[in-house]
Amino acid sequence: MLRNMTSIYIQHQDEVLMLYRVGSRVIEPSWVGIGGHFEPQEVHDPKACALRELQEETGLTENSLEDLVLRYVSLRHNGAELRQNFYFFARLRGEKPPLSCTEGRLRWVKWDKVPDLPMPVTARFCVEHYLRQGRLDHRLYAIIHDAETGRSVVTPLTGGQT
């Protein structure tokens, strides 16, 4: 079985919007970007899924964002299913609005504190790579996670976003 998911990491100055997700049928309670599962009509449009989840979970829309771009695509087989996640990054346009979410707790977190949070394995690897290298360029990266070894590999897919 293939499970497609999206996440958006929304930046504002030196912070990123994180969601402490509880009650998920896919991940243990942990910190993640805003996102979720594809609806059938979104299977060929990860951006549409990301924006729908953003509005459902935060009330924010694409007009609230600047520089929304797909930066990472991850693959991980957990034994029962193949999980593919599309990780988008964007900047918040304007000031931080008051936010609430029925899926968990939203919090603006300083980027340097994010690696200390409990996160799913591919989300952690994505964020750590982004902080170390990805934010310095405009490449689209692939992350492959090997559940047997616990190791992840990242490779650029293109020279830059178009």
Side-chain angles (χ1 to χ4, degrees):
M1 181 173 144
L2 176 64
R3 183 179 301 273
N4 287 310
M5 299 172 283
T6 61
S7 293
I8 301 179
Y9 291 98
I10 301 169
Q11 306 170 78
H12 183 266
Q13 298 174 0
D14 63 343
E15 297 177 319
V16 62
L17 184 60
M18 299 292 291
L19 169 63
Y20 186 74
R21 187 175 295 279
V22 293
S24 169
R25 58 181 198 259
V26 177
I27 60 172
E28 297 293 319
S30 56
W31 290 95
V32 293
I34 308 304
H37 301 58
F38 282 48
E39 295 294 334
Q41 70 275 10
E42 297 166 339
V43 72
H44 298 293
D45 193 352
K47 181 180 175 184
C49 177
L51 291 171
R52 176 186 52 78
E53 290 284 349
L54 176 69
Q55 186 164 17
E56 287 177 4
E57 294 180 4
T58 68
L60 296 172
T61 67
E62 186 172 12
N63 291 333
S64 308
L65 306 177
E66 294 177 340
D67 302 324
L68 175 64
V69 65
L70 176 63
R71 296 300 311 280
Y72 295 87
V73 178
S74 72
L75 286 174
R76 178 172 76 98
H77 193 271
N78 70 356
E81 62 188 7
L82 181 62
R83 294 183 180 177
Q84 180 172 245
N85 203 325
F86 296 82
Y87 293 98
F88 291 85
F89 286 74
R91 288 192 330 250
L92 180 67
R93 181 173 291 161
E95 295 301 312
K96 294 188 290 190
L99 298 171
S100 64
C101 182
T102 59
E103 309 248 350
R105 284 191 332 258
L106 291 169
R107 182 182 304 158
W108 290 97
V109 179
K110 298 244 185 235
W111 267 116
D112 63 344
K113 300 296 183 196
V114 173
D116 299 333
L117 300 174
M119 300 173 72
V121 64
T122 54
R124 172 173 303 291
F125 194 80
C126 171
V127 166
E128 288 175 351
H129 184 272
Y130 179 79
L131 290 172
R132 188 175 57 252
Q133 180 179 342
R135 66 180 168 177
L136 303 176
D137 62 41
H138 298 290
R139 293 180 176 186
L140 173 62
Y141 289 95
I143 300 169
I144 309 296
H145 179 75
D146 183 338
E148 287 185 23
T149 65
R151 284 186 268 167
S152 295
V153 175
V154 64
T155 187
L157 292 176
T158 63
Q161 290 289 314
T162 55

